[in-house]
Amino acid sequence: MMIVDIKPKLLPLRKKLQEHKIYKSIKSIEDIRFFMEQHVFAVWDFMSLLKQLQNQLSCTKVPWLPSGNPEDARLINEIVWGEESDLNRKGIAMSHFEMYLESMQSLGASTETINELQHRLEKGQTIDQALEEINLPQHILSFLRFTFEVISTKKNHIIAAVFTFGREDLIPDMFVEIIKNLMIPEEVDLSDLIYYFERHIEVDADEHGPMALKMVSNLCENDVDKISEALAYSKEALELRIGLWDGILKDLEKPILA
């Protein structure tokens, strides 16, 4: 099996995601708030995949030493630069995660739970401890635990594959579907959210996506075993994304008790 075989083998799962019912179920401002309050955890943990790759592919220690892998160091550092220090619609430098929080706040969505997670981690809790003590739905817990399981492998080709095929390469399609189906009253200001979506589409489709694909190809080194591992973990990442969407949709459709 070659690296070019990975994307075709993922097509059935990608198609299932692209046709997921959740996109057409997000219709009201309440729906958007609810979706964002759960989806924000996937926006956050994406950055941990990214930073683990940066730590392993470039030198982030002092004294500095050459990484021995300058092409992949360049690729990951360029992606980090865009994801961690982009400009919001007002020209203020911030990460895409912070842009997402900004758009949540502008729409009145709660950031309480994601803030609690960050607070616990800042206080020194491990990710496992924090997840044990925060009341999160199982579909979010499963998604996050898989992410940190991938990170714990410390295998560059696996982390890069999940980052690329399970997250980065998928983002433009997902966000286009959400934007296409928004039906919100004119008085609701979606400026921050639309900017976030459009920025992701622009950057990920045109820049980060191709760079991430190149990085995976480099790291797999045409090694059959590495390519097989990359494919297996990418499939699981997509299956868990489907599980995340299923879980959010199920909660979204629950009747509100008076």
Side-chain angles (χ1 to χ4, degrees), residues 7 83 96 167-173 175-176 197-213:
K7 285 190 81 169
E83 295 288 346
H96 287 181
R167 310 296 285 273
E168 190 74 7
D169 190 43
L170 188 68
I171 286 169
D173 293 333
F175 287 170
V176 168
F197 282 165
E198 290 180 341
R199 186 65 182 144
H200 254 298
I201 292 167
E202 177 186 355
V203 173
D204 293 334
D206 298 337
E207 300 173 23
H208 294 176
M211 285 191 286
L213 285 168

Side-chain angles (χ1 to χ4, degrees), residues 17 56 68 120 125 204:
L17 273 168
Q56 294 182 189
R120 288 176 178 275
Q125 284 193 344
D204 293 334

Side-chain angles (χ1 to χ4, degrees), residues 47-56 151 154 159:
M47 291 301 298
S48 291
L49 288 168
L50 176 63
K51 296 302 285 187
Q52 183 70 12
L53 283 170
Q54 186 185 36
N55 290 342
Q56 294 182 189
I151 288 169
K154 296 189 177 179
I159 302 170

Side-chain angles (χ1 to χ4, degrees), residues 22-23 26 31-46 97 100-101 103-104 110 114 139-140 143-144 167 171 174-175 178 193 196-197 200 241 244-245 248:
I22 194 168
Y23 302 117
I26 300 172
D31 293 341
I32 294 176
R33 289 177 185 140
F34 185 86
F35 171 80
M36 295 182 79
E37 288 167 5
Q38 297 206 14
H39 176 242
V40 67
F41 290 92
V43 180
W44 171 77
D45 79 335
F46 169 86
F97 169 70
Y100 198 84
L101 290 182
S103 63
M104 288 179 71
S110 173
I114 187 65
H139 52 274
I140 297 178
F143 191 87
L144 292 175
R167 310 296 285 273
I171 286 169
M174 289 166 25
F175 287 170
I178 293 174
L193 180 61
Y196 171 83
F197 282 165
H200 254 298
R241 172 70 74 170
L244 179 67
W245 269 196
I248 295 176

Side-chain angles (χ1 to χ4, degrees), residues 52-77:
Q52 183 70 12
L53 283 170
Q54 186 185 36
N55 290 342
Q56 294 182 189
L57 296 175
S58 65
C59 183
T60 57
K61 299 177 183 178
V62 177
W64 178 87
L65 292 170
S67 68
N69 194 355
E71 182 178 20
D72 290 327
R74 179 183 177 87
L75 289 169
I76 196 64
N77 283 332

Side-chain angles (χ1 to χ4, degrees), residues 2 13 21 27 84 93 112 167 175 183 190 234:
M2 303 291 289
L13 290 170
K21 186 181 174 183
K27 297 177 181 178
E84 195 171 35
E112 181 180 350
R167 310 296 285 273
F175 287 170
M183 292 183 289
L190 290 172
S234 297

